[in-house]
């Protein structure tokens, strides 16, 4: 699991471990290319490969905004979180999935796309 909120990761890992599910959390902000790439590199180092990615971030540095109050700044913030974050995530995992001939990506939130390699 990747989240920019380390305390949220700790809580989620503990919750999963209570259900006998092995879990590890990695802190990274999807707005930061370096942090996101670093998190994926660390995951690959620790586990060898990434088989499944479920991308469903809660993004935005602005509260929900009515359409008539959308500005360039808050629209770009959401775009960078959802779209650029998704692009960086796909770039980090899809080449290995294609090479290995298997894997799955599930991109969710404002859009839905499921990609399966096999």
């Amino acid at each position: 699991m990747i989240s920019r909120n380390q305390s949220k990761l700790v809580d989620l890992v503990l919750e999963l471990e209570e259900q006998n599910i092995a879990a590890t959390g990695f802190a990274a902000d999807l707005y930061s290319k370096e942090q996101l790439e670093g998190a994926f590199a660390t995951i690959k180092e620790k586990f060898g490969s990434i088989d499944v990615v479920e991308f469903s971030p809660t993004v935005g540095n602005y509260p929900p905004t009515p359409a008539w109050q959308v500005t360039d700044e808050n629209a770009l913030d959401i775009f960078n979180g959802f779209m650029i974050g998704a692009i960086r995530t796909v770039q980090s995992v899809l080449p290995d999935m294609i090479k290995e001939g298997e894997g799955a990506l599930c991109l969710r939130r404002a859009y839905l796309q499921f990609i399966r390699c096999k």
Side-chain angles (χ1 to χ4, degrees):
M1 294 179 292
I2 299 174
S3 174
R4 64 179 149 184
N5 184 327
Q6 184 65 43
S7 63
K8 182 191 293 185
L9 285 169
V10 171
D11 292 343
L12 288 170
V13 167
L14 291 173
E15 183 179 325
L16 290 169
E17 287 177 346
E18 288 174 2
Q19 299 174 45
N20 295 320
I21 299 170
T24 306
F26 300 87
D29 187 340
L30 66 82
Y31 285 92
S32 168
K33 180 178 182 176
E34 294 76 21
Q35 286 184 29
L36 197 57
E37 288 175 349
F40 280 116
T42 302
I43 292 167
K44 290 175 188 179
E45 239 176 60
K46 182 172 175 110
F47 297 104
S49 66
I50 297 172
D51 303 321
V52 176
V53 172
E54 191 269 340
F55 181 87
S56 58
T58 301
V59 300
N61 296 304
Y62 298 90
T65 306
W68 65 89
Q69 294 177 354
V70 171
T71 65
D72 294 354
E73 291 80 18
N74 59 16
L76 187 57
D77 180 67
I78 295 296
F79 178 83
N80 284 332
F82 281 124
M83 299 307 295
I84 302 303
I87 289 167
R88 289 175 180 158
T89 297
V90 169
Q91 289 174 336
S92 294
V93 299
L94 189 58
D96 291 337
M97 289 178 175
I98 291 170
K99 181 179 170 186
E100 294 173 17
E102 62 184 11
L105 295 168
C106 182
L107 310 174
R108 305 181 323 137
R109 276 290 187 239
Y111 52 89
L112 176 63
Q113 179 67 43
F114 185 79
I115 303 168
R116 182 174 173 92
C117 298
K118 189 159 184 179

